[in-house]
Amino acid sequence: AEATTLVAQAQATISAMPEEVKLPQGRRELRQSNLSSSFESLAALVSLKHFYETGTFAAADDVFSDEEYVAGLLAAAQELARYATRRATLGDVRSVELCERKVDELNGALLNFDFRNGPLRKRYDGLKYALRRLVDILYEQSLCAAPAPELPEVPEERAD
């Protein structure tokens, strides 16, 4: 409910902006600095809200530039790794598996991109670390859930 309110407030704020601020020279790509960063944060929030409601990431929205949308997805993936950690402490394997699967799908989709050495590259590297954390969490959960292996009995020591 809180996320829905935040998204609605942010979208209302965007709607109230002068068109030249939202689209400098009619192009989203020309947004600069804090404004672009705010759009990235909104893209992350929209993606997370959609994920929590449906189990999938939100589709691209024409409000965001491609870079803002991808940056938002990458930030959302980082948050999903933190969310999965909290769910794992509660023993919620299904939620962790879903997070891992979707972050892995995002990673697979982004493998086709050439990020060079820009800011998206650093965030993409963070996605790989988030995916690794999710895989590690699933592994640790499997160890906790697995029955103890049958081991042969150790003979007792004899005093000679």
Side-chain angles (χ1 to χ4, degrees):
E2 184 177 335
T4 302
T5 303
L6 289 173
V7 169
Q9 288 172 343
Q11 289 170 332
T13 301
I14 290 170
S15 296
M17 284 181 183
E19 201 60 31
E20 184 56 31
V21 172
K22 286 191 287 191
L23 297 171
Q25 300 174 8
R27 296 175 47 204
R28 282 182 221 67
E29 301 80 34
L30 296 178
R31 282 195 284 250
Q32 297 291 317
S33 193
N34 291 340
L35 183 59
S36 186
S37 177
S38 296
F39 274 84
E40 291 172 9
S41 296
L42 178 60
L45 183 60
V46 167
S47 292
L48 283 170
K49 177 184 173 289
H50 192 268
F51 181 86
Y52 293 142
E53 293 172 350
T54 67
T56 61
F57 287 116
D61 188 327
D62 63 351
V63 170
F64 308 113
S65 70
D66 293 341
E67 291 80 13
E68 291 164 348
Y69 175 70
V70 171
L73 286 176
L74 293 169
Q78 291 287 338
E79 184 56 39
L80 286 181
R82 289 186 283 274
Y83 169 76
T85 301
R86 292 188 303 273
R87 297 308 303 171
T89 61
L90 300 172
D92 184 359
V93 177
R94 286 184 46 217
S95 290
V96 177
E97 288 173 339
L98 177 63
C99 290
E100 187 273 338
R101 189 170 57 250
K102 293 303 174 182
V103 170
D104 188 39
E105 288 173 9
L106 178 61
N107 183 52
L110 294 178
L111 283 174
N112 298 322
F113 287 74
D114 181 14
F115 292 120
R116 308 256 176 209
N117 286 327
L120 284 179
R121 175 58 191 224
K122 291 176 184 177
R123 292 180 185 181
Y124 175 68
D125 290 342
L127 171 75
K128 294 184 283 187
Y129 292 119
L131 180 58
R132 178 58 195 226
R133 275 197 319 267
L134 290 164
V135 169
D136 288 347
I137 291 168
L138 284 173
Y139 175 71
E140 290 169 5
Q141 283 183 314
S142 72
L143 291 178
C144 293
E150 295 284 329
L151 298 175
E153 286 188 33
V154 178
E156 291 184 28
E157 277 190 43
R158 294 188 320 193
D160 288 335

